[in-house]
Amino acid sequence: MLQRMGRKLIVTRLSFYITQDKLQKLFAPFGQVASVNLVLDPRTKRPKGYGFVSYNTEIEAEKALKAMNGRIVDGRLLLVEPARDK
């Protein structure tokens, strides 16, 4: 039985200097980004190196996954995977 991918992606190995706006712009070419959540360290307020990107459709999320997984951004190799529900 096939499992649906979902519309939310987790992006890991991000630069510690990336902003939420830059992350949104990086994933915008693949469809309409519904939301971006860059995880920050509560003490230092700097990015922890990962975040979540949500799209309006699974097709857009799949296009972004295929295009961005393994891509080098700011000298770092990004890993993009479907996010699991809690």
Side-chain angles (χ1 to χ4, degrees), residues 10-58:
I10 182 168
V11 185
T12 58
R13 301 183 73 182
L14 290 166
S15 165
F16 296 109
Y17 301 102
I18 196 161
T19 63
Q20 196 153 318
D21 186 49
K22 185 171 180 183
L23 184 59
Q24 193 274 337
K25 286 179 183 173
L26 232 119
F27 282 84
F30 310 105
Q32 186 175 5
V33 176
S35 68
V36 174
N37 181 16
L38 185 60
V39 180
L40 302 176
D41 183 292
R43 194 169 48 102
T44 63
K45 306 294 185 225
R46 289 181 53 198
K48 281 189 159 187
Y50 69 98
F52 298 91
V53 178
S54 296
Y55 284 94
N56 290 325
T57 68
E58 287 183 39

Side-chain angles (χ1 to χ4, degrees), residues 55-84:
Y55 284 94
N56 290 325
T57 68
E58 287 183 39
I59 294 168
E60 293 171 337
E62 190 172 341
K63 283 194 312 189
L65 173 80
K66 287 180 181 177
M68 295 299 289
N69 189 33
R71 184 170 168 188
I72 296 175
V73 176
D74 294 334
R76 298 182 61 102
L77 181 70
L78 298 186
L79 297 177
V80 182
E81 300 176 326
R84 294 184 300 219

